[in-house]
């Protein structure tokens, strides 16, 4: 708490309590009733003052909770760079918008092309070439058949990638992967320690 900033509010609260006590005393209520009402109002003022004094801390906690729920706690995005911290599973995860639909991706430099599962493709309205020749993809679970597709708009904060090529299959598990074609769309990318930095 900064007294220079919050001091006037504290003084104002004390004045309000004194005025309240004076008003109750003027009504000549029994002392016990006056004491109870005074304590109740003091508790209300104290709670209000605590919330006001620590409003910035509460805001930080709220922002942290929102980022945890949204899946963006380990990433920060600005005009210059996208910074991603390695998570406990040893991987780098990035929350992006696929045609305005939030999707969480694993970044995998060992994957040639961005790969998404069928459910994600449907939810995010990804264009899939159902009539084209399928491609064979090697995964951790073996070789699977996939269809080529395209994300019309892939967004990370202010950064936009248009017509991003993907492969789609109902044989992929729930993990969506950003491959080398995503990393190649960056001006540069690097990993130092436990931090991956992308420069769009």
């Amino acid at each position: 708490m900064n007294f220079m900033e919050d001091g006037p509010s504290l003084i104002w609260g004390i004045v309000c309590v004194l005025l309240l006590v004076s008003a109750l005393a003027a009504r000549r209520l029994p002392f016990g009733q006056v004491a109870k009402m005074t304590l109740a109002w003091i508790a209300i003022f104290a709670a209000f003052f605590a919330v006001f004094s620590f409003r910035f801390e509460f805001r930080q906690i709220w922002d942290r909770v929102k980022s945890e729920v949204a899946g963006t706690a380990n990433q920060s995005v600005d005009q210059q760079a996208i910074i991603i911290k390695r998570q406990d599973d040893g991987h780098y995860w990035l929350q992006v918008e696929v045609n305005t639909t939030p999707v969480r991706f694993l970044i995998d430099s060992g994957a040639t092309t961005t790969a998404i599962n069928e459910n994600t493709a449907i939810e995010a309205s990804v264009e899939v070439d159902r009539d084209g020749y399928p491609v064979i993809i090697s995964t951790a679970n073996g070789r699977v058949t996939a269809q080529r597709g395209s994300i019309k708009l892939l967004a990370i904060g202010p950064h936009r990638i248009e017509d991003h090529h993907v492969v789609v299959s109902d044989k992929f598990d729930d993990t969506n992967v950003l491959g080398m074609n995503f990393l190649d769309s960056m001006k540069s990318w690097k990993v130092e320690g436990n931090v991956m930095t992308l420069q769009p």
Side-chain angles (χ1 to χ4, degrees), residues 63-132:
D63 289 342
R64 177 68 179 180
V65 170
K66 287 196 300 182
S67 65
E68 289 286 355
V69 172
T72 59
N74 291 304
Q75 70 185 58
S76 61
V77 182
D78 58 27
Q79 293 290 343
Q80 285 73 40
I82 301 165
I83 298 174
I84 310 161
K85 296 179 181 178
R86 185 166 62 185
Q87 296 198 0
D88 294 338
D89 61 4
H91 297 297
Y92 295 94
W93 295 85
L94 182 63
Q95 184 84 6
V96 309
E97 288 188 358
V98 176
N99 299 329
T100 71
T101 299
V103 179
R104 188 169 183 252
F105 281 90
L106 166 70
I107 299 178
D108 184 2
S109 60
T112 303
T113 307
T114 294
I116 60 178
N117 60 58
E118 186 72 26
N119 290 336
T120 299
I122 294 172
E123 292 172 1
S125 301
V126 174
E127 297 177 359
V128 181
D129 184 6
R130 303 292 182 184
D131 299 324

Side-chain angles (χ1 to χ4, degrees), residues 100-181:
T100 71
T101 299
V103 179
R104 188 169 183 252
F105 281 90
L106 166 70
I107 299 178
D108 184 2
S109 60
T112 303
T113 307
T114 294
I116 60 178
N117 60 58
E118 186 72 26
N119 290 336
T120 299
I122 294 172
E123 292 172 1
S125 301
V126 174
E127 297 177 359
V128 181
D129 184 6
R130 303 292 182 184
D131 299 324
Y133 288 105
V135 294
I136 306 299
I137 305 294
S138 295
T139 71
N141 297 321
R143 295 162 67 86
V144 301
T145 301
Q147 299 290 335
R148 293 182 174 88
S150 178
I151 296 174
K152 186 174 182 180
L153 180 63
L154 190 152
I156 311 109
H159 308 293
R160 303 287 187 268
I161 301 173
E162 296 182 354
D163 298 323
H164 184 65
H165 296 299
V166 300
V167 289
V168 179
S169 176
D170 58 2
K171 300 298 190 297
F172 295 152
D173 58 20
D174 293 335
T175 301
N176 299 295
V177 174
L178 290 171
M180 275 303 302
N181 65 325

Side-chain angles (χ1 to χ4, degrees), residues 10-21:
L10 177 60
I11 295 172
W12 175 245
I14 293 173
V15 170
C16 289
V17 171
L18 292 176
L19 290 174
L20 175 64
V21 172

Side-chain angles (χ1 to χ4, degrees), residues 20-32:
L20 175 64
V21 172
S22 300
L24 293 174
R27 295 176 61 184
R28 297 183 179 180
L29 297 173
F31 177 78

